[in-house]
Amino acid sequence: MGGLCVGNIPAIADWPGLCLEDSPLGVRFADFATAFPAGVTVASTWNRKLMRMRGQAMGAEFKGKGVHVALGPMMNMGRIAQGGRNWEGFGADPFLTGEAAYETVLGLQDGGVQACAKHYINNEQEHRRQQESSNVDDRTEHEIYVHPFMRSVMAGVASVMCSYNQVNATWACEDDRTLNQILKGELGFQGYVMSDWGAHHSTLAAVGGLDMSMPGDIEFSSHTSWFGANLTAYVQNGTIAESRVNDMAERVLAAWYLLDQDKNYPEVSFNAFFPHDPATNSHVDVQDDHFKVVRQIGAAGTVLLKNNGVLPLSSPRSIALIGNDAGPSSRGPNGYSDRGGDDGTLAMGWGSGTTDFPYLITPLEAIQQRARQDRSSVTWFLNNWDLAGAAAAVTDQEVALVFVNADSGEDYITVDGNEGDRKNLTLWGNGEKLINAVAAVHPNVVVVAHSVGPSIVEAWIENPNVTAVLWAHLPGQESGNSLVDVLYGAVNPSGRLPYTIAKSLADYPAQLITGGTGNQFLRIDYDEGLLIDYRHFDANNIEPRFPFGFGLSYTTFAYSGVQVRAVHHADRTSAALEAAWAQGKASPNVDGGSTALWLHRPAFEVSFEVKNTGKVAGTEIAQLYLHFPAAAGEPPSVLRGFTDVLLKPHASQRVTLALSRYDLSVWDAAAQGWRKPAGAFTFSVGASSRDLKLTGTIPV
């Protein structure tokens, strides 16, 4: 941490060293860089092209600033709805998260920077993250938590960051099972494993699979290290093989060469710790026109949860904006260190997963610009606690827009008593009472929520005066413009929830584990197994408020003509493996076995027609859910495919989604391989996990 970046490896001979820098949504601690939408927002687009575009733009900016390793994407699974860093990731389903991770890694590395898949593994809450053991069975680990990292490896990710917690009572950064056997063995990962900052606990972690210690000190700025002289001594006394140290160095250098960072790579041009130092900050502008993709993703990641026909707005005569989230913070967009405060419109959470805003377009600013075009009048009241004042402000206004939010972040900052993780799933800043106070006096209330994830909305969602709800997530610097695009119909909303919104916090399968003092370790048992998020709701017949994959549009769509066919490949080199799989035998337990081509290439194709039956153009997010044989022990439905379909009014398109043998397999913990369960496989295609339009059977 003594260099220009949050992580540094100094030059060695003619090798120039490495700069490692946060965050998953932009270059942290740097000026003239873009503040992109958060991971949860890009996941809500369910749009692979936008996921890739965001990665490419971020990759170009990291490289432009001289960063060699971008510390992202983040792909923890949102196991706990209150989890503080869920917003950095891609939702609560391994398939969706895996696809977003895959596209993001490809995009980042296409831009020239090394990507870093994090946090490996089972770091699902912030509370006592360095003093807890996540206890997970082998099948759950493979099918849920390893999957996004597997997809990252398949995308060619250069590095993986191991996490703070223990896994089954062993530190994640020295766990032979998860690092050597699964990541480097089964997945065939050829890059290097770095520790999270301070997650390195022993010199023998090198044997456990750790390749790089970050930031290098045993304690920050102590100038002591578990590696360095200690590692040299362990090699000299025969405890650690010299070949292992060579392997560590080779993995780091291989990633550097993989990204062509040996060829005219920019010098580091900023100072993460002293950003105003003129000697080390060259103020290099890397923003290009990336505000365009920010605005596009912010709109595409906005989910329309309710609409009684009042949206899109059409030149309303008068508009009232109510709530602190509509306007700017009194301190400016970067007034709270690492965004550790909730004041003004919320466009990212807090912690190391943030960046500085170059600017922040608030809803108030953007709506006033649109109102000038429409000759509408605009008034506002930004105090969430003066309910009488808020109610009075909407008098005689044609539409009342009420802005609310819910925030969270990393554990080293506590905001309003929330130590990273959320204490509950209520809206922040008196939000529920604010909505109800306005809805009590106005018949046309549109609620806009900027949220890090799900919130409980039961106190107001069925109020007939709440006529529309937009779940706008964390849109980044173009927040207000993205919202206006959806509010006024320039963009037809196509966002879909990447998690379930429940009717009660207790309805979720896993709860935040609190408590613990001193050196006490928390035991966190993943007793829900495979039943996270919607899988749990389906298995236990729990009615959600809004299901996983849900989102409304300004138009309507119809599905028809489902067909399924087997895919045959001319390449027969894997014929014996494919035949064994068809007979129910587990895939071989060999290096790279879980990422083998034969296991992942298309085995079946499901096709169907999607038609826009409405009056305006719009994008449908078609989703495919697989239903395993009952004896397989899988959840009732698991997401196995999705795509976005843009259609003009009355137009239709035939959509094809592929299924691989991996998609139809379960992890056999005894055989240590992927196995096809016996029995019939069926599937459903539809608009959400609970809105299934077509069904069929896989001819397997």
Side-chain angles (χ1 to χ4, degrees):
M1 295 176 71
L4 297 176
C5 305
V6 297
N8 306 273
I9 296 181
I12 302 171
D14 60 348
W15 183 66
L18 294 178
C19 162
L20 299 86
E21 188 65 30
D22 298 311
S23 76
L25 56 68
V27 186
R28 187 182 179 207
F29 296 140
D31 56 7
F32 301 104
T34 303
F36 289 89
V40 70
T41 307
V42 75
S44 299
T45 70
W46 292 60
N47 186 310
R48 289 180 175 86
K49 180 180 179 181
L50 293 178
M51 294 168 182
R52 179 83 64 91
M53 287 170 60
R54 173 178 173 267
Q56 289 170 327
M58 289 196 299
E61 294 202 9
F62 276 102
K63 180 178 179 179
K65 286 289 190 180
V67 175
H68 298 92
V69 187
L71 300 177
M74 190 279 227
M75 55 199 70
N76 296 120
M77 276 310 311
R79 171 181 178 262
I80 297 168
Q82 298 161 257
R85 300 185 75 176
N86 290 355
W87 59 272
E88 296 183 42
F90 302 118
D93 176 79
F95 184 86
L96 176 60
T97 296
E99 296 309 286
Y102 179 87
E103 297 295 344
T104 303
V105 168
L106 286 176
L108 282 166
Q109 297 194 166
D110 184 56
V113 71
Q114 298 179 40
C116 176
K118 66 180 188 182
H119 307 89
Y120 189 76
I121 192 169
N122 308 130
N123 183 182
E124 295 290 330
Q125 70 173 56
E126 286 300 285
H127 181 69
R128 294 184 78 81
R129 62 183 181 178
Q130 299 186 65
Q131 290 179 273
E132 63 97 341
S133 176
S134 295
N135 302 321
V136 192
D137 69 87
D138 196 43
R139 179 173 174 181
T140 297
E141 193 75 286
H142 280 80
E143 294 189 24
I144 302 293
Y145 301 96
V146 168
H147 177 87
F149 291 94
M150 180 196 74
R151 289 295 284 153
S152 298
V153 171
M154 293 173 72
V157 72
S159 62
V160 170
M161 182 189 294
C162 53
S163 52
Y164 284 117
N165 53 290
Q166 293 186 349
V167 179
N168 297 321
T170 299
W171 291 113
C173 285
E174 54 188 58
D175 183 22
D176 178 72
R177 174 60 181 156
T178 56
L179 296 180
N180 289 328
Q181 295 179 33
I182 297 177
L183 180 64
K184 295 181 177 179
E186 292 170 21
L187 304 188
F189 175 56
Q190 299 295 303
Y192 59 95
V193 176
M194 73 174 77
S195 70
D196 205 338
W197 270 230
H200 184 187
H201 293 277
S202 73
T203 303
L204 284 173
V207 178
L210 183 67
D211 301 302
M212 179 187 292
S213 179
M214 274 291 138
D217 305 291
I218 295 176
E219 300 289 341
F220 290 168
S221 303
S222 67
H223 303 293
T224 60
S225 177
W226 292 114
F227 284 171
N230 283 315
L231 182 58
T232 300
Y234 272 50
V235 171
Q236 290 174 339
N237 67 24
T239 304
I240 296 176
E242 183 177 342
S243 60
R244 170 61 188 130
V245 179
N246 290 339
D247 176 57
M248 295 160 69
E250 288 169 0
R251 287 173 174 271
V252 174
L253 287 172
W256 184 69
Y257 281 114
L258 175 70
L259 274 299
D260 291 327
Q261 294 181 341
D262 58 320
K263 301 172 184 175
N264 301 314
Y265 206 79
E267 297 289 331
V268 178
S269 60
F270 67 101
N271 189 325
F273 298 101
F274 301 98
H276 302 296
D277 177 16
T280 52
N281 189 351
S282 302
H283 307 290
V284 174
D285 186 345
V286 295
Q287 296 170 97
D288 201 357
D289 62 353
H290 298 155
F291 70 90
K292 294 179 181 178
V293 72
V294 172
R295 182 170 181 166
Q296 187 176 359
I297 291 173
T302 296
V303 184
L304 180 63
L305 295 181
K306 180 179 180 179
N307 187 19
N308 293 350
V310 301
L311 295 180
L313 299 178
S314 179
S315 302
R317 189 167 183 80
S318 55
I319 310 169
L321 280 69
I322 307 299
N324 179 264
D325 185 77
S329 168
S330 59
R331 299 188 180 192
N334 302 312
Y336 291 91
S337 176
D338 286 342
R339 315 295 80 77
D342 186 31
D343 176 32
T345 199
L346 183 67
M348 65 177 70
W350 75 75
S352 65
T354 61
T355 188
D356 286 349
F357 290 102
Y359 61 83
L360 176 56
I361 304 297
T362 67
L364 176 58
E365 178 182 354
I367 289 172
Q368 286 193 94
Q369 289 181 354
R370 176 57 193 244
R372 181 172 55 197
Q373 174 183 327
D374 292 341
R375 302 178 68 85
S376 303
S377 67
V378 178
T379 188
W380 59 87
F381 191 87
L382 305 185
N383 187 329
N384 285 22
W385 302 92
D386 183 353
L387 300 181
V394 301
T395 302
D396 294 331
Q397 302 298 304
E398 184 175 330
V399 58
L401 304 177
V402 179
F403 290 81
V404 293
N405 67 36
D407 201 358
S408 71
E410 201 167 351
D411 77 331
Y412 67 89
I413 298 175
T414 297
V415 180
D416 194 24
N418 296 268
E419 182 200 356
D421 305 308
R422 287 188 279 172
K423 294 183 293 185
N424 49 52
L425 292 184
T426 61
L427 296 172
W428 284 35
N430 208 35
E432 293 174 0
K433 291 182 178 179
L434 182 67
I435 293 168
N436 284 327
V438 175
V441 299
H442 199 284
N444 186 16
V445 176
V446 176
V447 174
V448 178
H450 288 111
S451 181
V452 292
S455 291
I456 305 303
V457 299
E458 296 306 297
W460 51 271
I461 191 65
E462 293 186 353
N463 188 320
N465 287 347
V466 175
T467 53
V469 179
L470 285 168
W471 213 253
H473 290 111
L474 304 171
Q477 67 191 41
E478 289 284 323
S479 177
N481 288 331
S482 298
L483 178 65
V484 164
D485 288 343
V486 174
L487 270 176
Y488 286 84
V491 172
N492 191 339
S494 60
R496 301 293 184 264
L497 290 175
Y499 48 74
T500 299
I501 295 182
K503 294 184 176 181
S504 167
L505 174 58
D507 287 345
Y508 288 100
Q511 304 296 320
L512 182 67
I513 303 297
T514 58
T517 58
N519 294 324
Q520 179 182 358
F521 267 69
L522 295 183
R523 178 187 176 109
I524 302 179
D525 296 326
Y526 285 43
D527 292 332
E528 74 285 351
L530 302 177
L531 301 180
I532 68 168
D533 199 75
Y534 69 94
R535 300 158 174 240
H536 163 80
F537 286 79
D538 291 348
N540 293 281
N541 295 312
I542 300 172
E543 187 68 23
R545 171 52 65 181
F546 296 109
F548 175 83
F550 176 82
L552 300 174
S553 171
Y554 295 151
T555 189
T556 53
F557 300 93
Y559 292 68
S560 64
V562 67
Q563 296 178 346
V564 59
R565 73 174 187 92
V567 177
H568 301 286
H569 298 276
D571 169 21
R572 302 298 295 162
T573 57
S574 301
L577 291 167
E578 293 170 359
W581 177 87
Q583 295 167 8
K585 297 179 181 178
S587 61
N589 181 15
V590 297
D591 284 355
S594 285
T595 52
L597 176 62
W598 73 268
L599 191 61
H600 288 275
R601 66 185 179 181
F604 302 92
E605 286 184 346
V606 175
S607 62
F608 49 93
E609 293 280 338
V610 178
K611 182 176 182 179
N612 183 343
T613 55
K615 297 180 179 179
V616 296
T619 298
E620 173 68 327
I621 305 296
Q623 304 164 38
L624 187 155
Y625 293 87
L626 188 66
H627 316 300
F628 278 80
E634 288 290 301
S637 298
V638 291
L639 181 70
R640 283 294 189 264
F642 65 88
T643 192
D644 56 288
V645 189
L646 174 60
L647 295 170
K648 295 179 179 179
H650 312 299
S652 62
Q653 180 178 322
R654 190 147 195 92
V655 174
T656 300
L657 298 173
L659 291 169
S660 67
R661 291 172 177 81
Y662 172 86
D663 290 328
L664 275 67
S665 299
V666 300
W667 178 254
D668 187 328
Q672 289 292 289
W674 295 99
R675 178 178 55 80
K676 179 183 72 68
F681 287 78
T682 59
F683 66 88
S684 299
V685 172
S688 81
S689 62
R690 292 288 179 102
D691 185 11
L692 304 174
K693 313 285 190 180
L694 305 172
T695 60
T697 299
I698 304 295
V700 64

